[in-house]
Amino acid sequence: MPELPEVETTVRGLAHALEGRRIARVEARRPDLRRALPVDLGQRLTGARVSGLRRRAKYGLIDTDRGDTLVFHLGMSGHWRIDPSAIAKHDHFVIETDEGRRLALNDARRFGSLDLVRTAELQDWPPFKALGPEPFDLDARELRRRLAGRTSAIKLLLLDQRIVAGLGNIYVCEALFRAGIHPRRAGGSVSLERLKRLVPAIHDVLTEAIEAGGSTLRDFASPDGQLGYFSKSFAVYDREGQPCAGGGVVRRIVQGGRSTFYCPACQH
Ligand SMILES: [Zn+2]
């Protein structure tokens, strides 16, 4: 499942092909993904120039000079294919640029989404309206304000997109491990001192994953190159029963219906 680093890597990869280019043609190969595609997608995008690409939480944003932003979410299985030699079964949306480059959004499970939003109105767009700050814009004092008085587990609060946007299961597990914080600890009880370890740990795990993803940029020129997925190694995530570097054994618990991996020897 794509998390923030995969989306960031995808946006950077798409920028190579799209930034400053005019959209020559778009093709919606089905009417919907998770929800219906905008009916006027083709009309509004064809002929527009791409003025920039950005990420917000786990959404990729493609801005055009017509004041529209194409917003994509990769859902569970979505990824963009750059210059595929042929259109494949689950390529649901295709963009062609004035340079003849072709980008296909492939999403077998169709949990992803594509929306066209007026750029000036993005902040008020319902999926964005309640989002907390980006992890990279967060500091320990701001996080402490956001966690104050909260009795839910810190793990669950960090996954709450209203508190901080874009964090997913893998990187929350890894950041809590690095900061030595037990995932079940009440959010409001984590001291400022410990949050001053947690916030840089969040930044570091995300930055390392984005840098690892950057190595996949080499593949962009190759036919059927996929964006957004890369192999990673984790300290605790998906390592139940294995030794941790600090001498403990990684344990798995379930919180909010999802697996949490942590080390009882290192995290308190
Ligand atoms: Zn440990």
Side-chain angles (χ1 to χ4, degrees):
M1 182 164 173
E3 290 208 19
L4 185 154
E6 288 85 346
V7 180
E8 180 68 32
T9 303
T10 296
V11 164
R12 292 181 188 184
L14 290 174
H16 284 275
L18 281 179
E19 184 117 51
R21 304 317 315 173
R22 200 169 283 285
I23 296 171
R25 199 176 79 87
V26 301
E27 183 186 1
R29 297 172 52 79
R30 54 173 300 126
D32 60 347
L33 291 170
R34 177 182 211 148
R35 52 181 178 265
L37 304 187
V39 287
D40 55 357
L41 197 61
Q43 185 194 333
R44 282 162 70 184
L45 289 178
T46 305
R49 192 173 289 280
V50 175
S51 49
L53 289 93
R54 310 175 271 154
R55 178 190 56 74
R56 173 72 171 121
K58 285 184 253 185
Y59 291 85
L61 279 59
I62 302 171
D63 296 320
T64 76
D65 62 356
R66 288 184 183 164
D68 287 320
T69 297
L70 180 65
V71 184
F72 65 86
H73 194 286
L74 298 172
M76 305 283 286
S77 59
H79 57 272
W80 286 88
R81 304 200 308 134
I82 307 289
D83 297 327
S85 53
I87 295 302
K89 186 174 177 196
H90 299 293
D91 289 342
H92 300 311
F93 180 73
V94 180
I95 297 178
E96 280 176 30
T97 73
D98 54 356
E99 284 184 315
R101 300 201 68 175
R102 192 157 62 159
L103 311 164
L105 178 61
N106 186 289
D107 188 355
R109 297 181 63 183
R110 280 190 274 118
F111 281 105
S113 61
L114 270 180
D115 294 279
L116 204 51
V117 182
R118 295 298 291 168
T119 310
E121 293 164 11
L122 272 170
Q123 280 180 325
D124 295 321
W125 185 51
F128 282 4
K129 207 169 174 165
L131 283 180
E134 287 290 316
F136 291 113
D137 294 338
L138 195 67
D139 64 27
R141 284 178 194 284
E142 173 66 16
L143 184 56
R144 180 150 170 89
R145 256 195 304 279
R146 290 176 168 270
L147 296 176
R150 302 296 295 262
T151 54
S152 305
I154 181 77
K155 159 82 188 302
L156 295 176
L157 292 169
L158 291 174
L159 288 177
D160 183 339
Q161 303 294 298
R162 294 166 297 187
I163 291 178
V164 51
L167 285 184
N169 201 31
I170 295 173
Y171 298 102
V172 168
C173 290
E174 292 293 303
L176 286 172
F177 170 74
R178 287 194 190 190
I181 298 171
H182 196 288
R184 280 200 174 125
R185 178 172 281 277
S189 78
V190 182
S191 67
L192 182 61
E193 196 170 308
R194 304 186 87 198
L195 293 178
K196 283 181 176 170
R197 287 205 301 270
L198 176 61
V199 171
I202 291 170
H203 294 166
D204 288 350
V205 293
L206 293 174
T207 301
E208 287 166 23
I210 291 166
E211 283 170 1
S215 65
T216 65
L217 294 175
R218 280 195 303 272
D219 301 329
F220 287 161
S222 70
D224 300 333
Q226 284 195 11
L227 288 183
Y229 291 84
F230 37 90
S231 59
K232 310 173 258 273
S233 58
F234 301 114
V236 286
Y237 184 80
D238 207 18
R239 296 195 66 231
E240 183 181 14
Q242 295 181 47
C244 121
V249 174
V250 176
R251 190 176 288 175
R252 184 182 79 92
I253 53 174
V254 175
Q255 291 179 285
R258 306 180 68 186
S259 291
T260 298
F261 298 90
Y262 75 105
C263 173
C266 299
Q267 293 172 255
H268 307 281

